Amino acid sequence: SRTPMANRFICIIGILAAAAIGASAQSRHPVDVRLSACLDKSPSTQGSIECERTAEVDWDKELNRAYRELQASLPAAAKSALLLTQRAWIKYRDEEFKAIDLIYGAKDGTMYLPMLAGRRTRVVKSRALELLDFLELQKM
């Protein structure tokens, strides 16, 4: 049997979790919204691959937009640092894509192809979100 304090604690945790889920759903990035809609509309293997490839391109556009805006707003030392890290990230991305292609390419079955495309999308999305976070920081 739980104490009244334990019940209150559980209730508070539930309220906070619901609020976090609601906030997360409201703050979904438009690229993710479009990807979800595309996957709902085209759930086949080929459809899923095309949806993920489109999302990868869209995230890359977001990444590049954020990078350009950051470069325009940062002081010289920060611009140089961002340039160096972006060049390093591009090398990382290219090598990561090779590894993803080889790892998933070694698997038998078409079900792995959408997984491969999704993994590539997440690599680009992750960097885009990092740059968007920096951009938000600049606006503060």
Side-chain angles (χ1 to χ4, degrees):
S1 161
R2 289 186 286 230
T3 66
M5 182 62 89
N7 285 338
R8 278 191 215 120
F9 179 73
I10 290 169
C11 182
I12 291 169
I13 294 297
I15 290 168
L16 291 174
I21 290 168
S24 174
Q26 290 175 353
S27 65
R28 287 183 62 202
H29 192 280
V31 174
D32 286 335
V33 172
R34 288 191 303 270
L35 174 59
S36 291
C38 184
L39 291 170
D40 288 344
K41 184 179 173 187
S42 304
S44 68
T45 299
Q46 191 57 40
S48 296
I49 293 167
E50 289 173 15
C51 292
E52 288 290 352
R53 287 182 178 158
T54 298
E56 180 186 333
V57 169
D58 290 348
W59 277 117
D60 191 59
K61 288 176 185 174
E62 269 298 276
L63 182 156
N64 286 307
R65 180 188 65 78
Y67 178 82
R68 283 190 307 273
E69 287 185 33
L70 276 168
Q71 282 291 24
S73 67
L74 292 171
K79 283 182 185 183
S80 295
L82 181 63
L83 176 63
L84 290 174
T85 59
Q86 191 62 17
R87 286 180 178 164
W89 180 82
I90 290 169
K91 288 178 186 175
Y92 159 79
R93 179 206 59 200
D94 292 347
E95 292 303 317
E96 187 71 7
F97 280 2
K98 286 178 192 174
I100 290 168
D101 291 347
L102 290 169
I103 291 167
Y104 283 94
K107 303 298 285 177
D108 288 330
T110 57
M111 69 181 195
Y112 294 105
L113 298 174
M115 295 167 83
L116 180 155
R119 178 70 64 157
R120 289 174 58 110
T121 299
R122 286 193 304 276
V123 168
V124 178
K125 176 183 176 178
S126 176
R127 181 61 178 167
L129 291 175
E130 289 172 354
L131 294 178
L132 289 168
D133 282 348
F134 285 143
L135 194 55
E136 282 301 310
L137 180 66
Q138 281 303 106
K139 294 177 182 179
M140 294 178 150

